[in-house]
Amino acid sequence: MESLIGVKLGCLFALLALTLVCGLSPICSKWFKIDTATGHHRQVLSLLGCTSAGVFLGAGFMHITPEALEGIESEIQKFMEQNRTRGKADSSNDAESAFVEYPYGELIISLGFFLVFLLESLALQCYPGASGQSTAQEEERGGNPVFDFHSHESLSSPKQSPFRAFVLLLSLSFHSVFEGLAVGLQPTIAATIQLCLAVLAHKGLVVFGVALRLIKTGTQSRWAISSILSLAFMSPLGLALGMTVAAGDSEGWKGLTQAILEGLAAGTFLYVTFLEILPRELSSCEPPLAKWGCVAAGFAFMAFIAIWA
């Protein structure tokens, strides 16, 4: 038992160290400042951004969404089994089968998507331009942007959204807590190490991509560092919680609530990926096939990691 606790503590520090290194390296290095880059340097950074977009796409489809769907389906099945043991024989088998087969996971992820869509729409309704619309779009509506964060960018380039950057950090924070929780709940040393390695394999790339997003949105260094620090402590926090939670505590409404929150986080992650990250990277002036290749490479790497994750 003490050996298992020691391994989990080692995983805790490994998750913390990897996140800090991968997240703070781009922020603290002047080489990644795309605003000051020119020529070949700027092109390399732009293509690196496309690769990070592919990493986000792969993380969403190959890691975050499948884990959320699996968790929700598992909790729904547990809920049905508990109802059976309580002797609810008056419900028909057909009705029970329909209840289980309904795509609850997909519904919850979609609700997460539409929740962020609603919040951003409300923000845009109250403060036009706050969600990062381009100046050209504002001029077409005959209005002036209220928050002009990037007036130096071209009119054809979609502007960065501070709100979406915040949503990205929030959704990844939720997911990181659940990843750490899963590691902390493992009953054996072998299972703990295997799952921790799987988490480490894709977490470093995702956090590196987050750091690049913060740099491109023009986030001040102190706020970017604070964001990475808060994100870095999410997985260790979840792992510590998992170590203190008994296996039976994950049953019932607590486990179902965790699965629902992870599904909502997956929906918000997909929203930011498709409406902020991919459009932004694909709007750059690099050759289309080069951008496609970088996005595909990032996605392929995450798909490869999913063999073990």
Side-chain angles (χ1 to χ4, degrees), residues 205-226:
L205 285 175
V206 172
V207 174
F208 185 82
V210 171
L212 291 181
R213 301 311 310 169
L214 293 174
I215 293 173
K216 285 197 170 186
T217 56
T219 306
Q220 295 182 3
S221 296
R222 60 174 182 173
W223 293 113
I225 292 174
S226 299

Side-chain angles (χ1 to χ4, degrees), residues 33 43 48 51 58 63 68 76 89 112 117 121 128 134 166 171 179 233-235 239 256 260-261 270 274 302 309:
K33 307 295 183 182
Q43 185 178 15
L48 185 61
T51 305
H63 296 274
I76 291 293
F117 191 8
S121 298
S134 66
F166 171 75
S171 62
E179 281 181 334
F233 281 98
M234 292 299 105
S235 288
L239 196 152
L256 184 59
I260 290 174
L261 289 176
L270 292 177
F274 281 101
M302 298 303 288

Side-chain angles (χ1 to χ4, degrees), residues 26-48:
I27 295 174
C28 298
S29 174
K30 294 182 178 180
W31 192 86
F32 291 95
K33 307 295 183 182
I34 194 170
D35 290 339
T36 59
T38 58
H40 182 68
H41 182 194
R42 187 178 186 87
Q43 185 178 15
V44 170
L45 288 179
S46 180
L47 293 178
L48 185 61

Side-chain angles (χ1 to χ4, degrees), residues 160-178:
Q160 297 286 348
S161 169
F163 175 77
R164 290 174 180 172
F166 171 75
V167 170
L168 175 64
L169 286 169
L170 187 62
S171 62
L172 283 176
S173 296
F174 270 111
H175 182 67
S176 296
V177 170
F178 295 128

